[in-house]
Amino acid sequence: MADALTLLVGLGNPGPEYAGNRHNVGFMALEAIARRHGFANPKSRFQGVTAEGRIGGAKVLGLKPKTYMNRSGDAVAAAVQFYKLAPKDVIVLYDEIDLAPSRIRVKQGGGAAGHNGIRSIAGAIGPDFWRVRIGVGHPGNKDAVHGYVLHDFAKAERVWLDPMLDAIADEIGLVIEGKPELFMTRVAERLTPPRAAQTQDETG
């Protein structure tokens, strides 16, 4: 089982006009992982773009569906069928408006919570894949959600966005190893500034 394949999927919409959108944070996270771990030879396959690499001892195929968010399941199902994977071998990274910015939650299975990409994948391969939910915050008004997720991250949001993407890239191996709680803890620790009291103690 050491060489079993993990399919790591980042969700987003293709095209430069969407590249900086909050809805594309799954693409951003997968791109950060691919850079960090030296994934090689991007190819157009499975109605998406794939790149292969290793994270720790695990063989990983990264996949960015090019089917647009609402049909993400088409690309994921094509890869799953080709490699004869089970849903538990699939990890999907995507934006979550019901989590505060930079908060990360990992779970296996569950509902789509209104996310069309997750709904599409669940419809294609069943619900029992792993989800890495990446908090992008909520606009505060349900009617504003569509425009909010299809807008670029503000320049000021890079203060937390870039360190979060780096932390996900560094620690994602823990999810692949079946240690999602430790992954969430490690990412949170890296994004939480030191307490003021600790800083004062250190400076005397």
Side-chain angles (χ1 to χ4, degrees):
M1 289 299 291
D3 229 31
L5 180 70
T6 295
L7 180 64
L8 194 58
V9 183
L11 295 190
N13 287 308
E17 68 271 35
Y18 298 108
N21 286 184
R22 294 182 180 91
H23 218 21
N24 272 41
V25 77
F27 273 11
M28 297 175 197
L30 185 59
E31 288 161 3
I33 291 165
R35 286 193 301 270
R36 170 69 178 80
H37 297 279
F39 283 21
N41 304 322
K43 298 176 184 176
S44 293
R45 299 172 73 199
F46 309 127
Q47 303 179 62
V49 175
T50 67
E52 297 180 18
R54 284 193 172 272
I55 299 178
K59 186 178 177 183
V60 177
L61 181 72
L63 170 64
K64 293 196 302 183
K66 294 295 187 180
T67 49
Y68 290 93
M69 189 69 81
N70 293 0
R71 290 179 49 221
S72 299
D74 294 358
V76 174
V80 163
Q81 289 162 12
F82 182 85
Y83 287 104
K84 298 179 171 59
L85 302 176
K88 66 178 178 58
D89 301 320
V90 180
I91 300 170
V92 181
L93 304 121
Y94 66 99
D95 58 300
E96 175 57 81
I97 59 170
D98 290 327
L99 287 175
S102 82
R103 292 292 177 91
I104 308 290
R105 291 290 179 270
V106 182
K107 67 172 183 174
Q108 184 181 16
H115 195 287
N116 290 331
I118 295 300
R119 181 182 293 116
S120 175
I121 294 170
I125 68 168
D128 295 332
F129 54 93
W130 285 91
R131 301 112 186 273
V132 178
R133 302 158 60 210
I134 302 170
V136 297
H138 197 287
N141 180 344
K142 191 169 78 171
D143 295 334
V145 165
H146 183 74
Y148 176 79
V149 297
L150 291 178
H151 258 76
D152 286 359
F153 285 103
K155 196 172 289 186
E157 291 178 286
R158 285 284 168 183
V159 173
W160 61 262
L161 178 62
D162 292 339
M164 179 194 70
L165 294 173
D166 286 342
I168 290 171
D170 287 344
E171 306 294 347
I172 191 66
L174 291 167
V175 181
I176 296 169
E177 291 171 25
K179 301 173 182 175
E181 294 84 3
L182 185 55
F183 168 79
M184 288 186 280
T185 298
R186 290 264 183 90
V187 172
E189 284 173 350
R190 288 181 51 163
L191 299 177
T192 303
R195 295 176 188 273
Q198 291 175 334
T199 305
Q200 288 168 3
D201 288 345
E202 289 164 5
T203 57

